[in-house]
Amino acid sequence: MRFKFPLMAIGLEVAMITLFGLFVQYETEQNIRQPPSSSNSTDVDRFFELYPLFQDVHVMIFVGFGFLMTFLKKYGFSSVGINLLIAALGLQWGTLVQGILHSHGQKIHIGIKNMINADFSTATVLISFGAVLGKISPLQMLIMTIIEIAVFAGNEHLVAEIFMATDIGASMTIHAFGAYFGLAVAGVLYRSGLRRGHDNEESVYHSDLFAMIGTLFLWIFWPSFNSAIAEAGDKEYRAVVNTYFSLAACVLTAYAFSSLVEHRGKLDMVHIQNATLAGGVAVGTCADMAIHPYISMIIGSIAGMVSVLGFKFLTPVFATKLRIHDTCGVHNLHGLPGVIGGLAGIVAVALGASDMSTPAMQAAALGSSIGIAIVGGLIAGLILKLPIWGQPSDQNCYDDSVFWEVPRWREHDHHFHEHHGHNHLEPEL
Amino acid sequence: MRFKFPLMAIGLEVAMITLFGLFVQYETEQNIRQPPSSSNSTDVDRFFELYPLFQDVHVMIFVGFGFLMTFLKKYGFSSVGINLLIAALGLQWGTLVQGILHSHGQKIHIGIKNMINADFSTATVLISFGAVLGKISPLQMLIMTIIEIAVFAGNEHLVAEIFMATDIGASMTIHAFGAYFGLAVAGVLYRSGLRRGHDNEESVYHSDLFAMIGTLFLWIFWPSFNSAIAEAGDKEYRAVVNTYFSLAACVLTAYAFSSLVEHRGKLDMVHIQNATLAGGVAVGTCADMAIHPYISMIIGSIAGMVSVLGFKFLTPVFATKLRIHDTCGVHNLHGLPGVIGGLAGIVAVALGASDMSTPAMQAAALGSSIGIAIVGGLIAGLILKLPIWGQPSDQNCYDDSVFWEVPRWREHDHHFHEHHGHNHLEPEL
Amino acid sequence: MRFKFPLMAIGLEVAMITLFGLFVQYETEQNIRQPPSSSNSTDVDRFFELYPLFQDVHVMIFVGFGFLMTFLKKYGFSSVGINLLIAALGLQWGTLVQGILHSHGQKIHIGIKNMINADFSTATVLISFGAVLGKISPLQMLIMTIIEIAVFAGNEHLVAEIFMATDIGASMTIHAFGAYFGLAVAGVLYRSGLRRGHDNEESVYHSDLFAMIGTLFLWIFWPSFNSAIAEAGDKEYRAVVNTYFSLAACVLTAYAFSSLVEHRGKLDMVHIQNATLAGGVAVGTCADMAIHPYISMIIGSIAGMVSVLGFKFLTPVFATKLRIHDTCGVHNLHGLPGVIGGLAGIVAVALGASDMSTPAMQAAALGSSIGIAIVGGLIAGLILKLPIWGQPSDQNCYDDSVFWEVPRWREHDHHFHEHHGHNHLEPEL
């Protein structure tokens, strides 16, 4: 049983290498069928124009998402470690499935946009990971990565190619999709044994500071996320500017509402770590449109407020009434702000901020992103519930020592004296 | 009373949105009144040429300054959290006040240099924040942000447009200005109750490591800070090269003098976290001039030495004799090296390294930056002293639990068992 | 005696400034002897094209290597602090020795490639530092930096100019060289007193998380490392793509084999921190060749596997049988993967993936990199063993308090109660 995880990882890597051998090629000048454009730039030139934006996104995926989830006191290794594992698998798989959908039977030629989109596709899984953090095993996450990215690529193709909707910062196709997919999985895998919470489901002082590393790198580079695949020129420029100001406005309302809803006007680290980013999510769909900077700031302000209110009032209801336990509160950071982004996009298109789409097509894109995510997540949840994968017991949730070698220090460390030696899995890892 | 902070934050954000609605526009090709230059590049092209440098500066502001201040054992949430809050407010306000001063009655068109300058303007507040860290409330910091950026923009306009002085890396207008403004505020808000120090005013092992995250990202990206708004071409190039070598030289003297002045030749983490950066500050004014790399290295070496000596001998004198308590030692990292930078600029201009200015104009710029900072800081301090804002009591200084929800762990955490339950403010937050 | 370190640091900085005054100049348009190329770009233009890649490498050197070594529970200050010190010295010295070797008697003109190569040259020392981490003093590291970079520059000149071999990502000239140099030093400085290990030679929970900051920034920016000095165009492009996919594949096998070789299928943080990077090292030599992405993935997969097996089975043998104690396991992260990279380069050239070299020349480059590293390391080790430098006693190994001021907190901190007050050096620091 202990061989399932390594054999699955090796098997998946062998499959990836085989598929790359069959379907993937370099981008070379010979591959460029059309004559060079008037600007005289080749694809390889364009590669290094966008490379800094790609690297910003890359930092968001591996440092941003990875550290954002280290807030739990005993689950930092898994947060940052499994984040790396599934993102590394996801970017290979995302390259393939997105490439095959777009290449119309030809070989996939790796350009900078393929690499950016590969990183993007991993973001959906990392968002969903936040909803089930601490409650499932690395092996389950490998399976979920394969399923979710395939479904994501299908929905993204539907939105972009069939509905011809616009969603440059992926409020709908990544953020709402990833959140609702994760919530559906969390619903299927609901553990009534944890309904009164778990001792490990809290932070310590320095785990909250580690999480702020994630928050800040996500916050800083979000303008690159929203503009990385925008059309060069005015649209790319506006995607940066709108996101920059939306995020700045969002910080003010996130702090204000955190203080308003908390006991004696204090701030809550969970809100600061997450709700300050909601402005980046919510401005995504219309980031490249000519909506005016002050409108971006209004969108960001609303997102910051809604996100805090979601953490305070909605997450507890989800856990108790809907039996959906959302460890990181991804519904508040990605779900609700993603829906706000989708709605803002419908309004913006209706008001003529973009002539690339129609309100109906935008609404279809929002609906399909949420609907397909929920259906996909339910199916994925049922597959992940199969006893063959193993799953941590209720007692072992949110505990690195289930998956990681315990060094000698742990015996001496006061943070870890509880539950020591009780690392049994159901049925087994 | 507990509503003052959130209502102020919301009020300020509403004001920002309103002012953006009135004064701010996108940069569009229609806005460009002059015909395209011979290099055929539009403003939007130039935007993405400078975007990587903007992002480097962005990392410095939010991760660099934020984590640099996490060295205190119980004040990490506030250091990195209030840093984010005031920088997010400051970049909106800085866009407005700098834009209005430069736009001569026209709308402000957001280009990359506006965004870089907006980030720069927040740096002054973050530097001043270091002088008062742990002693004032988030509400007071919002007020200080609004006042200081307005004064900064006025002085910067005076230096650049009236004196026509050159200060490409802002040794005078940001570093010296921010330090002396902060020291003046700290002087007005001096608490005799803290003259024998405070139990919380010390680091723990991992808080010092968190601070090194800030130090390193500041150190790494400082060449971008000093070159981001330099004239394209040779000047921009020299600003990078001079800063790179000044910083490298500064590290060696900072380590050497830290070991020289400390007990038994050991190194002091405070010096390493701060004095290693002094070379970036001190080379700022003449960074883009043809001063020769070895001169940059001499400037950096002197700055590293002076900064360590300041921490060792000057900061204690300030606290006891001048009744100015400088929590982070910003006088040693930004004040003294900023003055060295200003003086180096006078000498460099006198020796003909730049024909853009005269020694007298450089001296006027240095004098106005320090003088206006002190006067502005005194006025800001008096405003911040008004009882309406609330202020932490002496006992509550340097303690996150005054402003942040205290999770359950804190009861169990040996670092926090002292003073628990004594979170009263004067008069109230 | 306590003055040796500061005086050496000051003396070296004075020497650097003097040598820069004699040999180093700015790159200016006048320095460019050839007419502008057809693409009309000057060297200064090219400077800012590569500047983002330079900054990525800069982050790897100072944050990546620095934090990667913070995994030891009591040696974080020294890991990140001495890393900064020796990299700051090394980049000045590397600029000089590499510049003099390449400038053929003319002045050294600082371009972006000089700066990238200067950062590269420090990487060799930082790799070797990992082998002796915790066992030698800052003064010894200054000496080692001067010696190793001189030897490195000689070998690099031999490989590139005499053998005309290709090694774009420096698998051989940096990674294998740095590892075998460090192992040779570690062998000479072997301490039989530590043969049963040391209480300090272990991690704590948060020190392992700090190390992951280093791992992730190295992982993210490795494509920039391997492409930064590649020929513009297809080769630069392929260096990015091959490294990106090699690293992704490497993560999967590193996790799989970590789980396979560890007790009950758990993961080991040491493997995750290090072996996930082996793919970047191993693909280095042939990164810019047209080897096909799936071949990169195979190289990365093998490197991840070999690296984990090295940590598990080879490092203990080295320590006990060969009397070479490798603190960070650099042999597994840089040594073995560097050799794999060199061998892959020989095969790739033999199969015609590059016409810039021959298999024999590649083999000569691999042999010289390892051979010169070992001989240089043995000589450096003998010099470092001279009693004049001082060296921590066995008892004081891996303990920051030997070199750093111990703040008051340390008395209260349970991690540091052992050995307190026993900071004697042999003969003296």
Side-chain angles (χ1 to χ4, degrees), chain B residues 180-256:
Chain B
Y180 289 104
F181 192 101
L183 291 171
V185 172
V188 175
L189 299 182
Y190 182 75
R191 295 155 175 268
S192 54
L194 299 182
R195 70 184 174 282
R196 289 190 218 151
H198 190 293
D199 281 351
N200 292 344
E201 204 189 346
E202 45 185 34
S203 60
V204 290
Y205 195 59
H206 284 169
S207 70
D208 269 325
L209 276 176
F210 278 114
M212 282 302 290
I213 298 173
T215 298
L216 290 177
F217 279 105
L218 287 169
W219 197 91
I220 290 165
F221 291 135
W222 214 291
S224 302
F225 190 97
N226 282 354
S227 65
I229 57 167
E231 196 181 298
D234 279 2
K235 290 192 176 183
E236 191 182 14
Y237 156 79
R238 285 194 300 256
V240 168
V241 170
N242 287 330
T243 309
Y244 179 68
F245 287 115
S246 173
L247 283 163
C250 171
V251 169
L252 274 283
T253 56
Y255 273 78

Side-chain angles (χ1 to χ4, degrees), chain C residues 253-276:
Chain C
T253 55
Y255 272 79
F257 279 83
S258 182
S259 172
L260 272 180
V261 302
E262 286 300 318
H263 181 59
R264 291 199 293 160
K266 294 192 182 183
L267 299 164
D268 188 321
M269 209 48 173
V270 171
H271 303 158
I272 304 312
Q273 283 159 4
N274 292 280
T276 53

